[in-house]
Amino acid sequence: MSLYLDHNATTPLRAEVVEAMTAALRDLPGNPSSTHAPGRAARAALEQARAEIAALVGAAAEEIVFTSGGTEGNDLAIRGLLAGVRVARDRRGDGAGRLHAISSAIEHPSVLGALAAGEVDLSLLPLGPEGTLHPETLRAALRPETALVTLALANHELGNIHDVFASASIARDAAALFHADAVQAAGKIAIDVRALGVDALTLSAHKIHGPKGVGAIYLRRAASFAPLTAGGHQERERRAGTENVAGIIGFGVAARLARGELAEAGARIATLRDRLETRLLSIAGARRHGDRTRCLPGTLNLGFPGAPGQMVAAALDLEGVSVSTGSACTSGSLAPSPVLLALGLSPDDASSAIRFGLGRDTTERDIDRVAALVAEIVARVRRRGESGATPSRPAARERIVIAMSGGVDSSTAAALLVDAGYEVIGATLRLYDASGTAASVGGRCCGPRDIEDARATAVKLAIPPHVIDESVAFQ
């Protein structure tokens, strides 16, 4: 029986959302920018969804701008606000000098990526031991040229809830704009953009049982903003491109349902999270990462020293239980979580973390099942790792050579074969470093980084690693 506990990564579509999207795909063929009857029907449905999403966060409908999801939303909000500040400063004749922005090291990669592309001087706020951010440190980091502060309302790995109201007030007093990434928070805790005092806020449909590929930003009226795309007048000229009507309609339904169930679902899920935490902290050495006092109801991040998180997650997957070791946007990496490293954890301790994401369908029975499985698996993985020892083997063992790329799939396969008693030998090809070529966007194709990842995994598994150099033949 499968058990899904990765609701921070994505959530299953609700039946009501599927029904609404199916009807839209069938019955609303028009372009919402067209003035004929089919276009007007599509526009009316889109605007109804916009109103539902606005109601989820206490905004006016016209302040909602549709996007393709959280990553684009964070990029559009951050770089759009910065571009708007630059335009305003140019008009005043004081545009010289580089803008300054403030954030933290535990933000989602899409936030830090947008800031890196925004050509700003960036200050990262210091963190408390559990990843807490104290508003007064923001006051100390402000400069006269500070244009933007961007901090998540709730952290994507730890579940920490930040005091955005206090931080936004401090930013506003210094004439800086404030953006909040609320992708993880929306639909889980109450949000009122007016009360928070933010200038922009990011949402994503698939985190609240809506479809993937649809998101939105709240953009306060009169906030300095300049669009990043040209060629279309959609979304009041703030984001060009024909809207995804069916996806937006699904988003609207998900937002309406989430708003109606917010208090009841949050309390029930928080009780289940506490039950899971109590059970798992009884495992020797287990520790919780994050703030216990201000946290999302369904997020629990725990470390099990001596049991690599990738191995535990893979073993749970074989039992039909879905969890993660961190952000889905970086889950293909074997590197420790940057969020946990920023908390001061060692690479080994950070690599032992598992993130459990509970949802509206999680039951008490599910919690008890996963708690028992985690205890069993952690003990098994630790036994294998003690002093580099491997489990006892049969007298006669079949030898298997496995191609190891350094990625999650081949590493997991090797670990499972070791567990099954096979004599495993790792083999990695050295072809060339494809960095900067069309063959591998991002530069990951049988190059030095892959070989080092594969070798490190082999050492962890106590299997011999071999590198086959085919670089000459591959030229």
Side-chain angles (χ1 to χ4, degrees):
M1 182 178 68
S2 63
L3 172 54
Y4 187 75
L5 290 179
D6 199 15
H7 288 81
N8 294 81
T10 193
T11 55
L13 281 174
R14 292 188 61 158
E16 300 93 331
V17 172
V18 174
E19 182 179 351
M21 291 180 65
T22 300
L25 289 167
R26 182 185 62 237
D27 302 332
L28 296 174
N31 187 318
S33 295
S34 298
T35 57
H36 49 57
R40 293 196 304 273
R43 171 58 59 185
L46 186 148
E47 294 305 327
Q48 177 59 40
R50 194 190 305 273
E52 296 284 9
I53 295 156
L56 181 64
V57 296
E62 61 267 23
E63 294 174 307
I64 298 298
V65 181
F66 289 118
T67 69
S68 64
T71 293
E72 186 202 345
N74 281 331
D75 185 65
L76 177 62
I78 291 168
R79 294 203 294 130
L81 290 172
L82 290 171
V85 171
R86 290 189 178 101
V87 169
R89 289 187 175 185
D90 286 344
R91 287 174 179 167
R92 296 195 303 266
D94 59 355
R98 194 172 170 91
L99 296 180
H100 175 241
I102 299 173
S103 190
S104 83
I106 61 172
E107 302 305 308
H108 190 271
S110 62
V111 169
L112 297 175
L115 289 168
E119 299 181 348
V120 294
D121 290 334
L122 177 62
S123 296
L124 298 178
L125 298 178
L127 302 169
E130 300 302 333
T132 51
L133 290 160
H134 298 287
E136 287 306 312
T137 64
L138 170 60
R139 196 185 306 276
L142 288 165
R143 305 178 191 170
E145 67 271 23
T146 301
L148 177 68
V149 178
T150 174
L151 297 168
L153 179 53
N155 184 265
H156 57 291
E157 290 192 30
L158 304 174
N160 290 5
I161 297 174
H162 178 59
D163 187 353
V164 163
F165 168 76
S167 293
S169 297
I170 292 170
R172 186 168 56 253
D173 289 345
L177 295 170
F178 194 99
H179 162 255
D181 175 2
V183 167
Q184 290 293 340
K188 299 168 186 172
I189 60 173
I191 297 175
D192 185 329
V193 292
R194 305 277 184 245
L196 291 176
V198 298
D199 298 287
L201 180 139
T202 306
L203 306 167
S204 183
H206 76 102
K207 306 294 189 180
I208 60 169
H209 299 279
K212 300 173 184 65
V214 184
I217 62 170
Y218 154 76
L219 186 62
R220 181 181 60 80
R221 292 190 193 98
S224 296
F225 179 84
L228 304 182
T229 53
H233 300 287
Q234 293 87 353
E235 298 302 295
R236 298 173 182 261
E237 299 190 345
R238 295 169 295 187
R239 195 262 192 179
T242 301
E243 295 95 343
N244 176 358
V245 174
I248 289 169
I249 287 171
F251 191 3
V253 172
R256 172 172 54 81
L257 294 172
R259 183 163 62 99
E261 301 171 357
L262 198 62
E264 180 183 354
R268 186 186 68 82
I269 293 170
T271 299
L272 293 174
R273 178 207 61 209
D274 292 345
R275 182 183 181 93
L276 180 60
E277 178 183 3
T278 299
R279 292 283 302 273
L280 294 182
L281 286 180
S282 67
I283 298 172
R287 61 163 290 178
R288 176 170 177 165
H289 305 132
D291 185 0
R292 284 183 172 84
T293 59
R294 288 176 57 88
C295 56
L296 292 176
T299 303
L300 180 64
N301 192 307
L302 293 171
F304 305 96
Q310 291 283 0
M311 299 298 104
V312 175
L316 284 170
D317 188 35
L318 291 176
E319 299 289 343
V321 179
S322 301
V323 298
S324 74
T325 57
S327 168
C329 294
T330 57
S331 62
S333 171
L334 290 177
S337 159
V339 170
L340 298 181
L341 292 177
L343 267 59
L345 272 66
S346 70
D348 282 346
D349 284 346
S351 296
S352 75
I354 296 289
R355 183 186 67 183
F356 301 89
L358 285 63
R360 62 184 299 272
D361 296 323
T362 307
T363 67
E364 190 174 289
R365 183 178 179 182
D366 294 336
I367 295 302
D368 292 343
R369 178 185 171 213
V370 74
L373 281 172
V374 170
E376 175 189 333
I377 290 167
V378 167
R380 186 170 73 236
V381 172
R382 282 173 170 172
R383 284 196 300 270
R384 187 182 66 212
E386 287 174 0
S387 303
T390 57
S392 58
R393 307 293 191 204
R397 290 188 292 152
E398 183 177 352
R399 176 178 295 172
I400 293 181
V401 178
I402 183 166
M404 298 185 68
S405 66
V408 173
D409 292 342
S410 61
S411 301
T412 301
L416 295 175
L417 288 168
V418 169
D419 266 346
Y422 292 97
E423 181 183 355
V424 179
I425 298 174
T428 305
L429 290 177
R430 175 185 286 120
L431 298 181
Y432 70 112
D433 187 351
S435 179
T437 73
S440 176
V441 175
R444 297 285 316 231
C445 181
C446 301
R449 289 170 59 192
D450 306 85
I451 293 169
E452 287 306 311
D453 283 346
R455 182 178 286 118
T457 302
V459 169
K460 285 277 189 184
L461 297 174
I463 63 175
H466 296 274
V467 178
I468 303 170
D469 192 345
E470 294 290 342
S471 56
V472 175
F474 195 72
Q475 289 178 353

